[in-house]
Amino acid sequence: MRASSLLVSLCSPAAAFRAFPRSDALARTRVFTTFERFAPAMAVMTTSAAPPQHGGESALEVAERIERVLAAKTRSGKSYDQLAGELGVTNTYAAQLLLGQAQLRPETRLKLEAAISGLDAADLFAMTACPMRSFDPAVLQEPLVYRFYEAITHYSRAIKLIVNEQCGDGIMSAIDFYLDVGTSTGVNGEKRVVVTMNGKFLPHIEQRAANNMCPSPRD
């Protein structure tokens, strides 16, 4: 797997780093070099009223921050359900915060500091920046993750038919969205995984010319 293909596809720098063995120092160096090369071009333009854009960490710094934060969570002995309860978020959102895939809001930062002791102030500050949300394509090689991918793709047409039937022509938002992971006990006493996705329905619009406030110019 080339470092450039990992980073251009917006993969997580920490995951991309771990995709190469420690012995392949050159490949790891290319991971960070490529990420730092493309990251500025992917930055989002903001106004002064927008959330802070102080995420000036290198890919290595991001990977190390995530490692420190996860280590602090492990030392706390708390589960993601326990952490989520103290933060007032879903368990997957709590995990996303630690993984740098969600923005740590001011009020949640105070709760996180209280919930997990030993978090570095600089790390907490970095977590309040607008994150570079991404995923590493190599994660699909992990068996648990691939099963979810397999289930969604296998049932995708059936899901679409039912959503269209119940809601109309549109999509489910992954932004106005809640994801929760739990368990249940089956009829034979086995533990079963329950994943609930709760997203706002966004209907496709009919693009009426009269409602288009910014038509393209015609030469």
Side-chain angles (χ1 to χ4, degrees):
M1 186 178 299
R2 297 197 309 269
S4 58
S5 64
L6 283 169
L7 276 302
V8 171
S9 59
L10 304 185
C11 70
S12 161
F17 179 74
R18 291 192 293 270
F20 297 98
R22 291 183 180 275
S23 59
D24 197 345
L26 179 59
R28 287 187 164 201
T29 300
R30 286 173 177 166
V31 166
F32 298 122
T33 301
T34 307
F35 182 79
E36 290 171 342
R37 176 182 169 191
F38 285 98
M42 295 183 286
V44 179
M45 298 298 292
T46 61
T47 66
S48 59
Q53 292 283 341
H54 46 258
E57 300 167 291
S58 69
L60 177 58
E61 289 171 333
V62 171
E64 290 176 339
R65 166 166 59 83
I66 293 171
E67 186 175 346
R68 287 192 298 270
V69 171
L70 291 177
K73 184 264 182 189
T74 299
R75 288 193 300 271
S76 75
K78 295 179 179 179
S79 69
Y80 282 107
D81 272 347
Q82 290 172 319
L83 181 59
E86 294 183 43
L87 300 183
V89 299
T90 65
N91 56 9
T92 55
Y93 195 83
Q96 289 285 77
L97 284 170
L98 303 192
L99 293 169
Q101 293 294 305
Q103 184 184 35
L104 182 62
R105 306 293 175 87
E107 62 275 16
T108 308
R109 173 179 173 168
L110 296 176
K111 296 176 182 178
L112 182 59
E113 287 183 278
I116 300 179
S117 62
L119 290 174
D120 187 80
D123 289 341
L124 288 164
F125 179 73
M127 292 168 69
T128 63
C130 295
M132 179 65 72
R133 293 175 176 86
S134 56
F135 81 98
D136 179 1
V139 75
L140 291 177
Q141 298 174 18
E142 205 287 322
L144 174 64
V145 175
Y146 187 80
R147 293 288 83 77
F148 282 102
Y149 172 78
E150 182 180 49
I152 291 295
T153 52
H154 180 72
Y155 285 94
S156 60
R157 293 188 67 184
I159 293 171
K160 174 177 167 54
L161 285 174
I162 295 170
V163 169
N164 289 161
E165 181 178 80
Q166 295 182 352
C167 301
D169 183 25
I171 63 171
M172 180 183 72
S173 173
I175 297 175
D176 190 338
F177 178 81
Y178 299 87
L179 178 63
D180 187 65
V181 178
T183 60
S184 66
T185 302
V187 294
N188 297 314
E190 76 280 10
K191 178 168 283 189
R192 305 184 69 85
V193 178
V194 180
V195 179
T196 303
M197 292 188 289
N198 174 0
K200 180 180 180 180
F201 179 72
L202 302 174
H204 288 291
I205 68 165
E206 182 178 48
Q207 297 186 24
R208 293 183 175 274
N211 295 334
N212 183 11
M213 304 306 295
C214 297
S216 298
R218 268 68 168 175
D219 290 336

